[in-house]
Amino acid sequence: MSALYTSTVVTPRRRSRTWTKLGQNTAFALGLPLLLLVIWGLWSTVASARFFPGPLVILDAFISTWIGPAFFADVLPSLGRLAIGTVLAVAIGIAAGTVIGLVPWLRELLEPVFEFFRAVPPPVLIPIVAVLVGANDLMKVVVIVTGAMWPVLLNTIEGVRSTDSVMTETARSFALTRGERLRYLVLPAASPRIMAGVRQCLSIALILMVISEMFFSSSGLGFQIVYFQRNYLIAEMWGGIVLLGLIGVLLAVIFGFAERRVLRWYHGIKEVEHA
């Protein structure tokens, strides 16, 4: 009887705490942006500047520019190239990083090469890729892949290399096959580092998507933003920048959801340690 009474009392409190925490997180997430928008709007009415139009002007240009045919002609193709490039970068980075991390001599052999190519800014490769591949959509995807795969590759190598030796010997003592050790030990142990690399990969891929469309292109978000800037369509240019920011926020939300699913065990351990 007392246990039943306790459960009926504690459950609403937990629910109320959850909703309170959700409300606080929402207020913290939206409070500062809304405050900045209000300050920006008031400032634009007092001291209007040609290159910094007010939020309402940008909103009107955003709706008239991107809500319509331009969404299908420029935004969707850009998002498609971004998605293909990101998936390929993550897949290549995880696959190559796992192999290199498991083979010590191969890792030592390739480490100087990786350090060299990691230091090369990906945008400088655009003319070379355009000559080798051609000024087409494949060139843009190749640029995204070659620039965005490095965080995933290097983090996967470090994650695989730093797998706990005691757990590895324990897995061998239980006669687990190499494939089972890879699936149940190596990749789960390296997954926190891999997801950290994927987070960096998303931001780099978005940047390279825009930069690749600024060269040898006649469509896409990057091309349109440069077109608006060159023709002094300032509000439309800011609308494109806002759209890129919204895409970045959407990618962060999707990644956060995927990370919580993949690293559920890892976050559970952290919660137990902080409890």
Side-chain angles (χ1 to χ4, degrees), residues 52-114:
F52 295 96
L56 295 179
V57 177
I58 295 176
L59 178 62
D60 181 68
F62 179 88
I63 295 174
S64 61
T65 303
W66 301 110
I67 308 299
F71 180 80
F72 299 96
D74 295 304
V75 179
L76 285 184
S78 295
L79 293 179
R81 291 187 289 267
L82 174 64
I84 295 173
T86 303
V87 170
L88 290 176
V90 172
I92 294 173
I94 293 177
T98 302
V99 174
I100 296 170
L102 290 174
V103 183
W105 66 266
L106 184 61
R107 183 175 64 249
E108 296 176 0
L109 177 66
L110 295 177
E111 186 175 2
V113 180
F114 288 161

Side-chain angles (χ1 to χ4, degrees), residues 132-159:
L132 296 176
V133 179
N136 49 32
D137 290 344
L138 180 60
M139 179 269 293
K140 302 167 189 175
V141 174
V142 171
V143 169
I144 294 173
V145 173
T146 55
M149 74 174 183
W150 294 105
V152 183
L153 175 64
L154 297 177
N155 277 274
T156 303
I157 293 174
E158 289 300 317

Side-chain angles (χ1 to χ4, degrees), residues 6-188:
T6 304
S7 62
T8 56
V9 174
V10 172
T11 302
R13 288 183 179 178
R14 290 179 178 176
R15 291 179 179 176
S16 62
R17 289 176 183 176
T18 302
W19 285 106
T20 302
K21 185 177 180 179
L22 180 62
Q24 291 176 349
N25 293 336
T26 304
F28 279 117
L30 299 179
L32 182 59
L34 291 176
L35 178 62
L36 293 176
L37 285 176
V38 171
I39 295 175
W40 187 0
L42 294 176
W43 177 78
S44 64
T45 58
V46 176
S48 59
R50 181 179 180 182
F51 297 104
F52 295 96
L56 295 179
V57 177
I58 295 176
L59 178 62
D60 181 68
F62 179 88
I63 295 174
S64 61
T65 303
W66 301 110
I67 308 299
F71 180 80
F72 299 96
D74 295 304
V75 179
L76 285 184
S78 295
L79 293 179
R81 291 187 289 267
L82 174 64
I84 295 173
T86 303
V87 170
L88 290 176
V90 172
I92 294 173
I94 293 177
T98 302
V99 174
I100 296 170
L102 290 174
V103 183
W105 66 266
L106 184 61
R107 183 175 64 249
E108 296 176 0
L109 177 66
L110 295 177
E111 186 175 2
V113 180
F114 288 161
E115 292 298 330
F116 173 80
F117 281 104
R118 185 178 64 170
V120 176
V124 304
L125 300 177
I126 293 178
I128 301 175
V129 177
V131 171
L132 296 176
V133 179
N136 49 32
D137 290 344
L138 180 60
M139 179 269 293
K140 302 167 189 175
V141 174
V142 171
V143 169
I144 294 173
V145 173
T146 55
M149 74 174 183
W150 294 105
V152 183
L153 175 64
L154 297 177
N155 277 274
T156 303
I157 293 174
E158 289 300 317
V160 172
R161 184 184 64 84
S162 59
T163 303
D164 188 79
S165 58
V166 175
M167 297 180 65
T168 302
E169 293 299 327
T170 303
R172 288 176 180 172
S173 66
F174 279 97
L176 294 181
T177 64
R178 183 170 299 180
E180 290 174 338
R181 292 199 303 269
L182 179 65
R183 178 180 178 182
Y184 297 109
L185 174 61
V186 177
L187 289 180

Side-chain angles (χ1 to χ4, degrees), residues 205-239:
L206 182 60
I207 294 172
L208 292 176
M209 179 202 75
V210 178
I211 295 177
S212 65
E213 293 173 349
M214 292 180 177
F215 300 92
F216 312 107
S217 181
S218 59
S219 64
L221 273 170
F223 169 79
Q224 290 295 337
I225 291 175
V226 172
Y227 173 81
F228 293 145
Q229 180 262 330
R230 290 175 179 174
N231 291 274
Y232 293 95
L233 300 172
I234 305 303
E236 288 77 5
M237 180 193 71
W238 278 104

